[in-house]
Amino acid sequence: MKKNLKTEFSTRQYMLSRDFEIYYYNDKTIPDVKAHTHDYYEFYFFMGGHIIMYIDGKSFVPVPGTMIIIPPGAAHFARLLDSDSPYKRFVFWVTEDFLHTLSNISEDYLFLTDKTKPSGRFFIHKFTEIEFNAIQGKVFTLIDEINSDRFGKDAKILISVSDFMLSINRMVHETENPSITDSEPDSLYQSIILYIESHIDEDLSLDRLSDIFHVNKFHISHLFSDTNGLPLHKYVIKKRLAMCKDAILNGQDISATAAAYGFTDYSVFYRAFVKEYGISPKNYRNEVVRNKQ
């Protein structure tokens, strides 16, 4: 049985681990925490509740889907304004040393934390609902692996945290740099990929994409098959299923989720989900909800 993914809130404001720590909190009440600083980065992801956040003398009320990056030395604390709805958030602590270890693989890992330099100010970004659902799925996967005793645990944790970090850096970078020039390799393919991810609930047929990008549909078909080995239709189905899985992992209604991500026929979604993951959406959701309690 998987361990509980929820963490009991603690006022501890220092790390026990050498590299990083990640927590999922879901509270109706929390003890007061005074303004404090860290010698590491805090990535804060707000999921829901009614709070006010104070950072470096500034105050604001976050909305669901907000990410805040608090650099070392920045004083901060949160106040719960009411307990009508649970205060839900992820908190990811990571040391500069670990970030520099990742940067030896790619400097792209430092894209977000570099935004807090040299001023030392915090950085705020609002993700789309689809993006935030994907992030939550990655976080739950990481927490689940940390709490497991499975073979290859340490390697899987490193892969999961690397994927999580690179994904949030990529999402923000692509939001800030939406244009892909024709001079870049595979620009058409990348443009279509970005369009699919941001219009996942719409018509993504070859005919539709051909009209949008003014490219022969047979060229698009060959481009996908040659680039990733999948026909466009199968790629779209896999992308929709992955997004649905992340949304279900976040407790969203199954039928509504299927419709929101482009499955107009629930029976088609159901069969595709079982074929892809070997379990029904309902059983998958029940297992996740049980593990989160």
Side-chain angles (χ1 to χ4, degrees):
M1 178 182 295
K2 297 180 181 179
K3 296 182 180 179
N4 196 338
L5 301 181
K6 176 185 171 183
T7 307
E8 293 299 323
F9 181 74
S10 168
T11 57
R12 172 176 59 85
Q13 298 299 330
Y14 57 88
M15 287 180 61
L16 299 176
S17 301
R18 182 184 64 183
D19 297 326
F20 68 88
E21 295 177 9
I22 190 163
Y23 302 104
Y24 162 55
Y25 295 114
N26 185 344
D27 305 295
K28 282 294 188 76
T29 61
I30 58 172
D32 285 340
V33 176
K34 299 182 182 300
H36 57 278
T37 62
H38 303 305
D39 59 359
Y40 47 82
Y41 285 93
E42 177 173 318
F43 287 69
Y44 171 95
F45 299 85
F46 181 72
M47 300 169 65
H50 192 193
I51 70 158
I52 186 168
M53 178 71 76
Y54 299 87
I55 309 177
D56 271 347
K58 298 181 176 62
S59 63
F60 55 94
V61 177
V63 297
T66 298
M67 175 185 69
I68 307 169
I69 303 175
I70 305 170
H76 61 283
F77 68 102
R79 285 282 179 269
L80 189 63
L81 299 179
D82 64 57
S83 57
D84 291 342
S85 58
Y87 174 27
K88 300 170 64 177
R89 69 276 188 207
F90 296 116
V91 177
F92 177 68
W93 292 343
V94 60
T95 66
E96 290 188 89
D97 287 344
F98 184 69
L99 287 172
H100 285 301
T101 299
L102 292 176
S103 72
N104 290 330
I105 302 172
S106 172
E107 289 291 327
D108 294 343
Y109 283 103
L110 303 181
F111 173 73
L112 286 174
T113 52
D114 281 350
K115 288 182 172 295
T116 68
K117 299 174 180 178
S119 64
R121 294 183 179 274
F122 61 93
F123 173 76
I124 299 179
H125 179 81
K126 173 65 171 63
F127 291 103
T128 66
E129 182 178 356
I130 290 175
E131 289 173 333
F132 204 60
N133 283 334
I135 291 169
Q136 291 177 66
K138 293 179 186 296
V139 169
F140 280 129
T141 297
L142 176 57
I143 294 175
D144 182 48
E145 192 63 39
I146 290 172
N147 291 333
S148 77
D149 293 312
R150 302 176 65 186
F151 175 80
K153 171 181 175 178
D154 291 342
K156 181 64 174 179
I157 288 173
L158 181 58
I159 292 171
S160 295
V161 75
S162 298
D163 176 53
F164 162 69
M165 285 295 295
L166 193 57
S167 293
I168 59 177
N169 277 277
R170 172 181 283 184
M171 288 176 188
V172 177
H173 182 273
E174 291 182 347
T175 298
E176 296 182 353
N177 301 273
S179 298
I180 297 179
T181 65
D182 291 336
S183 61
E184 293 177 333
D186 303 321
S187 60
L188 174 60
Y189 176 76
Q190 294 298 332
S191 296
I192 295 175
I193 289 293
L194 290 175
Y195 182 86
I196 288 172
E197 292 182 352
S198 58
H199 298 80
I200 198 66
D201 60 327
E202 301 176 10
D203 177 14
L204 294 173
S205 64
L206 278 170
D207 287 333
R208 176 61 176 160
L209 293 178
S210 176
D211 289 341
I212 292 171
F213 290 94
H214 307 290
V215 177
N216 184 283
K217 67 179 181 179
F218 298 107
H219 178 70
I220 295 176
S221 178
H222 287 301
L223 179 64
F224 264 78
S225 296
D226 293 343
T227 303
N228 62 25
L230 285 175
L232 173 68
H233 174 70
K234 288 188 176 180
Y235 176 86
V236 171
I237 292 295
K238 283 182 174 291
K239 177 63 67 173
R240 283 173 169 162
L241 287 173
M243 291 181 170
C244 286
K245 183 167 72 73
D246 289 336
I248 294 170
L249 185 59
N250 191 33
Q252 297 193 24
D253 178 78
I254 295 175
S255 296
T257 295
Y261 291 104
F263 288 99
T264 55
D265 186 328
Y266 182 81
S267 64
V268 172
F269 161 71
Y270 181 92
R271 290 193 298 271
F273 193 97
V274 172
K275 181 178 179 181
E276 184 74 12
Y277 301 112
I279 187 174
S280 73
K282 182 177 180 180
N283 288 340
Y284 178 78
R285 182 194 63 187
N286 291 342
E287 179 181 341
V288 170
V289 171
R290 183 170 60 251
N291 291 333
K292 288 166 61 176
Q293 292 176 345

